[in-house]
Amino acid sequence: MPNTHAVVNLMHCAAWDVDAYNIAGISETNVDNGTLMSVGNITTSTQTATGRVTGFQYSVSVPAANATGLWIVKTPIPGTYTGLDAHVFNDPRYFYNEAGQPISLAYLVPGVDVIEVTGAAFAAGSTPTDQPTYTFASVNASGKLVIAQAAPAQGTYFALLGTHHIDCGQELVTSYVLKCMRN
């Protein structure tokens, strides 16, 4: 079994066609694709008091409880992954975004966008497999999805449309298709 990091597929998202829904970010921690993040300030110079913009990337962090306006991490997987294991194994579940390095993010449009994620995008013990009758997913304070029985009153949430399968390495991995309902 590989080192399991989340895999995300923007199946049907406005970010495919609207450049303004795509940004670059810098996180102070390692982040998996499929993690939902809050976007902070644009990069500015720390050497002058003017706050001159020095790059078009934003600081990103895990969201607060019940946050909205979240962006999903969806960095394209390069030909060579991070670390020795990733060079040996040709499997997207070995890829993660290193702290301090640029990551790609997409804004999710409620009522429109549909994503596909593997089980590693969910918090431990809170996947659709753990609660097969639940049909909603909210976002916890670490940016992971959490399966829910009902739509939450606050915060970003998704409707679980069903399951799918994707090829990862030499396995067929179950994935979950989610529609963004509130962001």
Side-chain angles (χ1 to χ4, degrees):
M1 182 75 171
N3 185 1
T4 306
H5 292 283
V7 177
V8 65
N9 174 14
L10 302 186
M11 294 184 89
H12 182 270
C13 290
W16 277 100
D17 298 314
V18 181
D19 288 342
Y21 289 153
N22 293 282
I23 62 170
I26 304 287
S27 174
E28 293 183 5
T29 60
N30 293 339
V31 179
D32 279 359
N33 277 346
T35 302
L36 288 120
M37 307 289 283
S38 291
V39 173
N41 295 326
I42 196 165
T43 303
T44 57
S45 173
T46 57
Q47 299 170 348
T48 65
T50 63
R52 184 175 61 87
V53 173
T54 59
F56 224 95
Q57 63 268 356
Y58 296 82
S59 62
V60 295
S61 60
V62 293
N66 299 316
T68 56
L70 303 180
W71 296 66
I72 192 163
V73 178
K74 51 95 180 177
T75 304
I77 298 172
T80 56
Y81 308 148
T82 306
L84 177 61
D85 285 346
H87 289 285
V88 174
F89 301 105
N90 185 16
D91 189 324
R93 293 172 292 175
Y94 278 91
F95 177 78
Y96 63 93
N97 297 278
E98 289 184 355
Q101 297 299 312
I103 60 177
S104 295
L105 297 112
Y107 183 75
L108 296 173
V109 178
V112 175
D113 288 354
V114 177
I115 62 171
E116 174 182 28
V117 296
T118 57
F122 287 84
S126 185
T127 69
T129 304
D130 297 320
Q131 296 292 339
T133 62
Y134 289 12
T135 58
F136 296 95
S138 60
V139 181
N140 70 13
S142 64
K144 294 284 189 180
L145 296 164
V146 178
I147 197 70
Q149 187 172 15
Q154 300 174 2
T156 297
Y157 81 93
F158 300 83
L160 176 64
L161 301 180
T163 61
H164 192 242
H165 291 90
I166 57 174
D167 294 324
C168 288
Q170 296 183 6
E171 291 181 64
L172 205 58
V173 176
T174 300
S175 59
Y176 304 96
V177 180
L178 305 166
K179 183 174 187 176
C180 182
M181 301 306 291
R182 180 174 50 228
N183 191 11

